[in-house]
Amino acid sequence: MINSTSNKQVKRVVSLRSKAKARREEGMYVVEGLRMCRELNPEDVDALYVTENFAGNRDNRKWMERFRPETVSDAAMNVMADTRTPQGVLAVVRQKRYTMDDIVRPASGVRPLAIMVLETIQDPGNLGTIIRAGEGAGITGIVMNHATADLYNPKVIRSTMGSIYRMPFVYADDLQDACLLMKNKGVRLFAAHLKGMNNYDQEDYTDNVGFLIGNEANGLTEETASLADCLVKIPMEGKVESLNAAVAASVLMFETARQRRSCRQ
């Protein structure tokens, strides 16, 4: 059992949890909690750490048979974990690798593409929520610029509730070039924008589409917004001018899902 909080494995987990640079260099990230860890494929797991109390539970032991866990003290787990009250299980996981070709490749079956294009979304909770809601709405991929929050930030991981394992994503070196590539592949781009001429529910999202969502404070840059085939707005009641980025993205994603369900009926 690992007892010391200065153990090299403990220090490695702390570094991966707290430093984006360490995550990039190793190609690893940290996942916490039973629910998230239970969804892991053993082939993706580099290391699994559990406390004695966690391992003492019969149901937990049955699940752990697929792995080779390392037991750590409660003190070590408290240092390794990002949450204040750790559940006693934590994993170091290999990062997924996707390309733009993966994003613009037709989805399985006959489902059209539905891509979220995120420009400088900086709040980890917003990014995680978009990923989670995106899976629920049938989004096929996410494209981001490098100024967007680190997808493997622990707060993003927790917000996705497991959707991070299944949602293809790319950090584009040049977001405008990525948008042009999507357009060349037949993806029609819509931008959520205060200058939108039509309400979002007046447009057709049943073919290959992408949605441009901008920074929480400043919205989309003019350069990125100019690449949209159509600017749409979400009408507001009261004195509200705009929505939180994750909420706006969710409105557009689930409208897309609604239209596509209607077409199948």
Side-chain angles (χ1 to χ4, degrees):
M1 185 193 329
I2 297 175
N3 290 296
S4 173
T5 57
S6 60
N7 178 278
K8 65 179 182 179
Q9 293 190 60
V10 174
K11 289 184 175 180
R12 178 200 183 205
V13 171
V14 171
S15 179
L16 289 171
R17 170 176 60 77
S18 59
K19 300 177 182 177
K21 181 180 178 182
R23 293 191 288 269
R24 288 194 299 270
E25 290 177 348
E26 280 207 47
M28 302 284 178
Y29 67 106
V30 178
V31 169
E32 294 182 45
L34 180 59
R35 178 172 178 176
M36 290 286 290
C37 287
R38 272 186 168 174
E39 292 193 44
L40 287 167
N41 185 330
E43 295 180 357
D44 295 330
V45 177
D46 182 71
L48 182 73
Y49 300 95
V50 299
T51 61
E52 281 188 304
N53 186 55
F54 180 90
N57 179 281
R58 183 176 62 181
D59 291 338
N60 291 344
R61 285 200 305 272
K62 185 176 181 180
W63 166 75
M64 286 161 47
E65 290 175 357
R66 301 185 301 154
F67 304 87
R68 294 182 178 179
E70 183 83 48
T71 306
V72 302
S73 66
D74 289 339
M77 180 62 72
N78 286 336
V79 170
M80 297 162 77
D82 186 62
T83 53
R84 291 185 178 181
T85 54
Q87 295 180 11
V89 58
L90 177 152
V92 175
V93 186
R94 297 177 182 88
Q95 296 181 10
K96 299 284 189 181
R97 301 295 184 190
Y98 300 99
T99 67
M100 279 302 299
D101 286 341
D102 295 320
I103 300 298
V104 298
R105 184 179 298 128
S108 59
V110 295
R111 184 172 56 157
L113 296 172
I115 303 168
M116 297 306 297
V117 184
L118 310 181
E119 183 177 44
T120 318
I121 298 296
Q122 296 181 319
D123 182 84
N126 279 340
L127 179 56
T129 298
I130 290 170
I131 294 169
R132 182 182 180 187
E135 183 183 17
I139 294 302
T140 58
I142 295 178
V143 179
M144 303 165 278
N145 64 343
H146 286 290
T148 292
D150 177 18
L151 191 85
Y152 291 116
N153 178 299
K155 291 182 176 63
V156 177
I157 300 294
R158 287 197 297 274
S159 296
T160 70
M161 295 298 290
S163 294
I164 191 171
Y165 303 144
R166 299 174 290 273
M167 180 63 68
F169 67 90
V170 163
Y171 280 94
D173 291 332
D174 188 309
L175 194 63
Q176 283 76 40
D177 284 350
C179 288
L180 291 173
L181 172 63
M182 287 183 274
K183 289 164 69 79
N184 289 336
K185 293 290 185 178
V187 176
R188 189 162 190 244
L189 297 181
F190 294 86
H193 203 283
L194 294 176
K195 295 181 180 179
M197 295 298 293
N198 291 333
N199 290 343
Y200 75 99
D201 55 358
Q202 295 176 307
E203 298 294 337
D204 183 356
Y205 308 131
T206 55
D207 206 346
N208 295 326
V209 296
F211 294 103
L212 309 179
I213 303 293
N215 174 261
E216 291 91 343
N218 302 311
L220 292 165
T221 62
E222 290 185 10
E223 293 81 5
T224 299
S226 68
L227 295 173
D229 297 291
C230 180
L231 301 181
V232 296
K233 61 182 178 181
I234 300 173
M236 298 286 126
E237 298 287 348
K239 296 182 179 180
V240 177
E241 292 185 356
S242 63
L243 295 174
N244 166 280
V247 174
S250 297
V251 168
L252 296 171
M253 293 188 290
F254 279 96
E255 172 62 15
T256 302
R258 184 197 68 77
Q259 290 187 16
R260 294 180 178 188
R261 283 196 306 273
S262 297
C263 287
R264 293 196 294 268
Q265 293 174 355

